[in-house]
Amino acid sequence: MRRLTYEGFLEKYICELSGLNTSSVSKTLKVLPDNPRILEPLALYAVMTNVSYNIISKNKDFMSECSMLKEHSDSYSELPGNYQKLYKSYIYASSKKSREDDTKKLMHKQIHILLNNSGISTYRVSKDLQIDVSNCNAFIKNCDCDRLSKSDVERIWRYLQKIEKEKDMEYIVTK
């Protein structure tokens, strides 16, 4: 999976904020009066992608914002708070995969404990939950986090917890 770039993040964010299915600066400028939250990410995106002066000059506020960004292009750390928030949002979005992988690794440890206690095979887990056998095996045996989604790992964990509870209840009833 490719790493999310700042430009790519801004492109997606602009599409999301504008409600348009495009990152075209000229088209997004048309919705700027109704949606002022687009100003900062759109101006930053326009400066980063070197949008032509003809497009920038269509809106006075947008043009002044782009001019300010061009003046500070060597030191983005001195930009106003909204741009700092925008960058922090990018950092958060770009680290999503590593956060999910950390969660999967923690769940993997629990899954291993539950599997050893229950005596159930990896094959049975994958068949009962209708998860691809090779992907399930690669995750459980080798902790290959790229093979299963977070929701599939969670399903495995919940399934094994359920089996463990049923096993405990069986023990109580027979005793």
Side-chain angles (χ1 to χ4, degrees), residues 1-173:
M1 193 160 118
R2 292 185 303 167
R3 184 157 169 79
L4 180 66
T5 64
Y6 195 31
E7 189 177 313
F9 168 76
L10 289 171
E11 192 173 316
K12 287 180 182 178
Y13 191 57
I14 290 165
C15 290
E16 187 178 304
L17 281 177
S18 67
L20 303 173
N21 200 16
T22 182
S23 61
S24 165
V25 175
S26 59
K27 290 179 182 177
T28 309
L29 270 173
K30 293 175 184 173
V31 297
L32 184 62
D34 299 330
N35 194 349
R37 281 185 58 201
I38 298 175
L39 180 63
E40 287 92 3
L42 187 62
L44 192 55
Y45 180 73
V47 169
M48 288 178 82
T49 56
N50 295 320
V51 172
S52 73
Y53 179 77
N54 292 338
I55 294 172
I56 292 174
S57 63
K58 289 180 180 179
N59 185 307
K60 186 180 174 184
D61 293 334
F62 185 68
M63 191 168 93
S64 64
E65 200 73 23
C66 287
S67 299
M68 184 269 300
L69 285 171
K70 285 180 182 178
E71 289 173 14
H72 288 60
S73 64
D74 57 332
S75 60
Y76 283 128
S77 60
E78 297 174 9
L79 290 173
N82 287 345
Y83 290 100
Q84 299 300 324
K85 288 180 188 176
L86 200 56
Y87 186 71
K88 287 178 184 176
S89 296
Y90 159 68
I91 295 298
Y92 182 78
S94 66
S95 65
K96 180 182 178 186
K97 184 181 178 341
S98 66
R99 285 192 319 273
E100 280 187 357
D101 284 351
D102 290 343
T103 303
K104 289 179 194 178
K105 287 175 185 174
L106 290 172
M107 292 175 91
H108 178 262
K109 289 178 184 177
Q110 293 296 314
I111 287 170
H112 248 286
I113 292 168
L114 291 168
L115 260 178
N116 289 336
N117 291 343
S118 67
I120 296 174
S121 68
T122 306
Y123 180 79
R124 179 171 170 209
V125 171
S126 63
K127 284 302 176 187
D128 287 352
L129 297 176
Q130 297 176 345
I131 297 172
D132 181 70
V133 177
S134 63
N135 290 340
C136 187
N137 194 46
F139 176 76
I140 291 175
K141 302 278 188 212
N142 305 323
C143 195
D144 188 350
C145 293
D146 293 333
R147 299 292 286 270
L148 291 179
S149 68
K150 185 177 151 193
S151 63
D152 281 344
V153 173
E154 210 170 302
R155 283 178 49 218
I156 293 170
W157 180 64
R158 291 192 192 288
Y159 170 77
L160 290 171
Q161 280 185 324
K162 182 181 169 192
I163 296 290
E164 185 76 17
K165 284 180 185 175
E166 288 172 358
K167 196 175 184 181
D168 288 344
M169 290 301 290
E170 227 175 76
Y171 176 75
I172 291 170
V173 171

